[in-house]
Amino acid sequence: MTTGKVVLLNGSSSAGKTTLAQMLQQVLPEPWQLISLDQFRDGLPARFRGLNSPQGTPGARGLNISPVEGDGRRVTAISFGDVGERMLRGMRSAVAAFAREGGNVIVDDLLLDKAYVRDYVEALGGLSVTLVGVRCPLDIVNAREAARPGRFPGTAESHFHAVHAHCIYDVEVDTGSTPPRACAERVVRAMAVGGNAFERLASELRS
């Protein structure tokens, strides 16, 4: 059986990953399944989606949103406890399982830690992966975040640079200056050429 392909979108919250993913679903002729961190987050019980939850509580064990100091101002950080980390590992395994069953997958995720990159490299070994950096100027990201219901100010800013710190990409797009369709077409062209960012990451991690 032919395995599916994977397009892995990485960028800050409100950078435009979901919009890009949906546009890719429109322009690509084959069916592409979208698997996103937001879907898995929303699948957690409400009590494990914390808002400044103290350590040891269910909210801190899942996905916790907490105020922190960032560059002299208060921002809102995302952190994962043991339940949240298990959820993330399950998501990566689900992406791999779907692709190994022959399904094409677009992944919308935040690679906030080098260990997360390592997990993807291990889970998706042997599969065709296009790694996409989704960027956008911070002022636009902040404006988008403020306009989205259920989003907390400063969340994207807290990981705006860190989310890209552990990645190299086959292609990068700027959703602040480029319309969604043009961004998607740029990714499709990169897919056609074929990339080696994932193999390079795997080599770096092995060394």
Side-chain angles (χ1 to χ4, degrees), residues 37 40-66 77-89 112 116:
L37 174 60
F40 278 71
R41 175 205 62 199
D42 293 346
L44 284 172
R47 66 184 181 279
F48 286 91
R49 301 195 295 271
L51 296 176
N52 202 22
S53 297
Q55 287 300 312
T57 63
R61 294 184 62 201
L63 188 161
N64 200 15
I65 304 294
S66 306
I78 299 172
S79 61
F80 297 92
D82 62 303
V83 173
E85 292 287 353
R86 184 170 64 231
M87 174 199 73
L88 294 176
R89 292 192 298 271
L112 297 172
Y116 298 173

Side-chain angles (χ1 to χ4, degrees), residues 9 14-27 34 36 38 106 108 134 144 148 173 175 178-184:
L9 308 179
S14 298
K17 300 187 301 297
T18 302
T19 299
L20 174 57
Q22 292 170 343
M23 183 58 69
L24 284 167
Q25 287 180 310
Q26 292 182 39
V27 302
L34 173 58
S36 73
D38 285 355
I106 301 169
D108 173 350
V134 184
R144 289 175 179 173
R148 296 175 69 181
V173 297
T175 68
T178 309
R181 188 175 189 91
C183 288

Side-chain angles (χ1 to χ4, degrees), residues 55-122:
Q55 287 300 312
T57 63
R61 294 184 62 201
L63 188 161
N64 200 15
I65 304 294
S66 306
V68 296
E69 290 291 335
D71 293 328
R73 52 184 302 230
R74 296 286 267 182
V75 294
T76 308
I78 299 172
S79 61
F80 297 92
D82 62 303
V83 173
E85 292 287 353
R86 184 170 64 231
M87 174 199 73
L88 294 176
R89 292 192 298 271
M91 174 180 167
R92 296 167 200 138
S93 297
V95 172
F98 202 100
R100 295 188 197 286
E101 287 294 326
N104 297 315
V105 187
I106 301 169
V107 187
D108 173 350
D109 203 355
L110 300 171
L111 301 184
L112 297 172
D113 192 284
K114 189 173 184 177
Y116 298 173
V117 178
R118 185 184 298 276
D119 282 353
Y120 267 120
V121 166
E122 293 177 355

